[in-house]
Amino acid sequence: MNTIILENNRKMSPNRTKPNKSNREAISNLSKKNVLIAEMIGIRAIVEAEQEIIRPIGLDTVDCKGFIFTPLCIKLLHGTHGIKFTHNDTKATMSSVCKHAHHLSCMIDPASTLPRNHFAENLLEKGGVEKDTYFDHKSSNLYGDAIVVSDVRRHWCIRPYYAPNTDLTDLIDDLTTPRRLRCYSNEKIHSILFEEEPNSDDLLLLAMKFL
């Protein structure tokens, strides 16, 4: 994944899924038959508390082993998820360990074990938290590394349920668009995810195979 998110960018790069208007009809036909399923997926990045940088780690989805990276502190301590705000002129969400002024449900005080994430707090302050978000950043502090998901785009995937009698591990080798296998945590194949919009060769292959 070569997508880079930098805090000082004013505009996001052109659509990273590389849509092609000439493929609209083919994609529409395949999606009507549920051969292609649409998912909205963003870029997942870590807001590092000590380094004060945003480090992209790739698409916000599980990998071929059913794994998605999440800082341990968010898993173990009281994490606040889905804080909606604006980042680089686009909608984004943040997850972090926080210490609410009026909501201390965690038995461990995060301030005693984690560095305060001033950088993440500044991102929320600069971007403006949406009014319908339950999180009040003015009365809360953030601790440890945070997660930001932004630049959400439509991706297409192929799932085994809609591709009967098809070995996706074989099918993925026949495709040429950047793609990946996704699995459940038990390593059962979940789907083929296209990292970019399927190209014309792949759309023709899928049409010949499933339509």
Side-chain angles (χ1 to χ4, degrees), residues 122-135:
N122 290 337
L123 288 177
L124 295 181
E125 183 70 28
K126 182 178 180 180
V129 176
E130 291 188 11
K131 293 182 179 180
D132 64 344
T133 298
Y134 60 91
F135 177 80

Side-chain angles (χ1 to χ4, degrees), residues 23-35 211:
N23 291 332
R24 292 282 80 79
E25 182 177 355
I27 288 177
S28 176
N29 291 336
L30 288 165
S31 63
K32 287 178 181 178
K33 296 294 184 179
N34 290 323
V35 176
L211 296 186

Side-chain angles (χ1 to χ4, degrees), residues 22 44 140:
S22 64
R44 191 177 184 89
S140 303

